[in-house]
Amino acid sequence: MIIEHKIVIADVKLVADFQRYILYWKKRFTEQPITDFCSVIRINSTAPFEEQDNYFLLCDVLPEDRVLREELQKQKLKEILDQQQHERNDTSFRGTCMFCTEEFHGNRSVLLNHMAREHAFNIGLPDNIVNCAEFLHTLQKKLDNLQCLYCEKTFRDKNTLKDHMRKKQHRRINPKNRDYDRFYVINYLELGKSWEEVQLEDDRELLDLPEDDWSDWQEYPVCAVCLFCEKQEETIDQLYVHMKDTHGFDLLRIKSELGLNFYQQVKLVNFIRRQVHQCRCYSCHAKFRSKTKLRAHMEEAKHASLLPDRKTWDQLEYYFPTYENDALLCTLSDSESDLTAQERDENVPVISEDTSKLRALKRSSVLNQLLLQECLEN
């Protein structure tokens, strides 16, 4: 169009549907002169008249062009959201992990969660991704060509590529590669803005509002993952019910019976995550070849609810999560709202010791027994 017809389209990469855009203006140019829509740019203006060239700039300064671009953006966003909703509800997805030979059937989130948890390869939340099958095919093609997904260097064989991605922590995609933008819903939300621009938007003008109305606030789903399988729920209560009904593991009951505070709950969850990741039953210490066989064993033997001694899992090493961004850890709480009505109503009296006679107190204080017990344990 530039060479043959001397027509320049401004910001062509921001046109949501280029084919529809071209067809619209092709029709309009047959109805009115092109100069009614385009700005005329004259080059070589100092040259003789016969050597001067006129180029025609079509841009969104023209209100009609601006309206067309916005309408195409809205149509594209609607198509993307419809496609995303279809993929969220689709249960016919089939795919193989890019880092192992395990196959997955059902919803795309099962495969994406597996790669994030088992291989530390996270391309984002499933609900933020669209055209997932094409996205995975694009990434798989790069790996088949022995190309690193992050630095995009090419290697001589698969083993060298795997070692490179593992040692350099390159099990992630290159955020500067614009070819991936079309697979993320955020890039379709606002005309002319990429995901980086949306995230960096300045919201300072919102601070000037007198009162914020939060009545229509809706919490974003937690999407926490079960301790024993790939099942994920949008609310933590639903996840607790799933683990109790499916696996016989009642985290709320265990928390209440053992009197676990927040940090002890964190260590317990991380302990169970690690044991399940290693395909080991934490009750009988049996080792299995797959998580499926481990789950079958724990459900049949009812070992999910049989925790080992507290000293086994109440260790400093379990402060660190097994999986990055484990949403279940963010929902744990030791607030009074989690206590039963009976526990809240109990009034436990606290009787102080008589400090008027310090010598007698040193001999008879209950602290002596506690200190002696602690010394023996150490």
Side-chain angles (χ1 to χ4, degrees):
M1 292 181 65
I2 294 177
I3 296 175
E4 297 294 333
H5 305 285
K6 296 182 171 56
I7 295 179
V8 180
I9 300 176
D11 296 321
V12 65
K13 66 179 183 299
L14 300 181
V15 178
D17 192 323
F18 188 70
Q19 184 176 6
R20 293 180 188 174
Y21 181 85
I22 289 298
L23 291 176
Y24 176 87
W25 284 115
K26 181 178 181 179
K27 180 176 180 297
R28 293 290 285 139
F29 289 163
T30 62
E31 299 171 349
Q32 294 178 233
I34 190 174
T35 52
D36 290 352
F37 307 106
C38 298
S39 302
V40 179
I41 303 174
R42 178 171 296 175
I43 64 173
N44 298 332
S45 58
T46 59
F49 181 78
E50 60 274 7
E51 296 180 9
Q52 295 180 7
D53 278 329
N54 289 337
Y55 281 79
F56 304 95
L57 176 64
L58 183 60
C59 63
D60 59 1
V61 173
L62 179 70
E64 185 177 353
D65 185 86
R66 178 70 182 181
V67 171
L68 174 60
R69 290 176 183 238
E70 291 177 348
E71 185 61 30
L72 292 176
Q73 178 73 16
K74 292 178 183 177
Q75 294 178 13
K76 188 66 174 179
L77 177 60
K78 183 180 182 303
E79 294 172 1
I80 289 296
L81 293 178
D82 290 343
Q83 175 65 19
Q84 182 204 32
Q85 187 62 37
H86 169 73
E87 293 182 13
R88 291 178 66 181
N89 300 329
D90 182 31
T91 58
S92 61
F93 176 85
R94 300 171 64 92
T96 304
C97 176
M98 293 188 290
F99 303 99
C100 65
T101 58
E102 191 168 353
E103 296 183 359
F104 295 89
H105 311 280
N107 190 271
R108 58 183 182 154
S109 61
V110 180
L111 173 56
L112 296 180
N113 289 332
H114 163 81
M115 291 193 295
R117 294 174 56 185
E118 302 296 333
H119 306 288
F121 179 71
N122 190 354
I123 59 176
L125 293 175
D127 288 347
N128 294 341
I129 296 174
V130 67
N131 295 321
C132 183
E134 182 185 355
F135 192 9
L136 294 176
H137 175 74
T138 301
L139 297 176
Q140 184 63 60
K141 188 176 180 180
K142 283 183 173 292
L143 292 178
D144 292 342
N145 292 332
L146 305 178
Q147 189 175 16
C148 174
L149 298 179
Y150 182 72
C151 67
E152 301 186 341
K153 294 180 180 178
T154 303
F155 295 84
R156 64 177 181 271
D157 54 55
K158 284 189 176 182
N159 290 332
T160 306
L161 172 62
K162 287 181 179 180
D163 289 342
H164 162 80
M165 294 181 67
R166 177 176 56 83
K167 293 178 181 179
K168 296 291 186 179
Q169 296 183 349
H170 281 189
R171 282 191 175 180
R172 46 190 171 137
I173 63 174
N174 183 359
K176 296 181 180 180
N177 189 332
R178 295 304 174 205
D179 290 340
Y180 300 141
D181 286 356
R182 68 183 188 274
F183 300 116
Y184 292 93
V185 177
I186 191 173
N187 293 299
Y188 298 91
L189 296 182
E190 199 165 345
L191 179 63
K193 290 185 178 179
S194 65
W195 63 272
E196 292 175 319
E197 294 170 313
V198 172
Q199 286 187 338
L200 294 175
E201 275 195 326
D202 189 359
D203 293 330
R204 284 175 295 182
E205 65 273 9
L206 298 178
L207 299 177
D208 299 330
L209 297 177
E211 291 288 341
D212 286 339
D213 182 13
W214 298 91
S215 59
D216 59 345
W217 172 263
Q218 292 183 353
E219 291 190 4
Y220 192 82
V222 175
C223 291
V225 181
C226 173
L227 288 171
F228 304 96
C229 66
E230 302 291 340
K231 178 71 173 178
Q232 59 178 351
E233 297 286 359
E234 292 189 351
T235 66
I236 192 61
D237 292 333
Q238 293 175 345
L239 184 63
Y240 284 154
V241 171
H242 162 76
M243 291 193 295
K244 180 179 178 181
D245 295 344
T246 305
H247 307 290
F249 183 82
D250 191 345
L251 183 57
L252 293 179
R253 179 185 61 80
I254 293 174
K255 169 190 170 183
S256 177
E257 290 181 354
L258 299 181
L260 304 181
N261 59 29
F262 171 77
Y263 298 104
Q264 290 169 331
Q265 294 175 69
V266 167
K267 287 188 280 189
L268 177 59
V269 168
N270 290 333
F271 166 77
I272 295 176
R273 287 272 196 228
R274 187 178 302 180
Q275 300 304 306
V276 173
H277 175 73
Q278 296 173 347
C279 298
R280 180 183 292 109
C281 176
Y282 52 74
S283 180
C284 65
H285 309 294
K287 190 82 166 59
F288 296 86
R289 292 186 176 181
S290 67
K291 291 183 179 179
T292 303
K293 294 182 178 180
L294 170 64
R295 286 196 296 269
H297 159 77
M298 297 187 73
E299 291 173 9
E300 181 180 355
K302 301 187 183 304
H303 279 183
S305 59
L306 298 179
L307 295 177
D309 293 338
R310 183 189 292 256
K311 62 182 180 181
T312 302
W313 54 265
D314 195 0
Q315 302 291 334
L316 294 177
E317 61 182 295
Y318 296 115
Y319 274 128
F320 304 97
T322 304
Y323 302 122
E324 186 178 3
N325 300 325
D326 190 345
L328 180 57
L329 297 176
C330 302
T331 63
L332 301 176
S333 172
D334 59 352
S335 63
E336 290 187 359
S337 60
D338 294 331
L339 301 176
T340 63
Q342 180 181 358
E343 290 171 328
R344 285 195 296 266
D345 294 339
E346 287 181 350
N347 294 320
V348 181
V350 179
I351 303 175
S352 63
E353 297 185 280
D354 184 9
T355 58
S356 60
K357 300 179 180 180
L358 293 179
R359 289 187 178 179
L361 178 60
K362 290 180 180 180
R363 292 193 299 268
S364 61
S365 175
V366 295
L367 293 177
N368 293 329
Q369 299 177 5
L370 296 177
L371 290 172
L372 177 60
Q373 180 180 355
E374 183 177 354
C375 291
L376 291 175
E377 290 178 353
N378 291 336

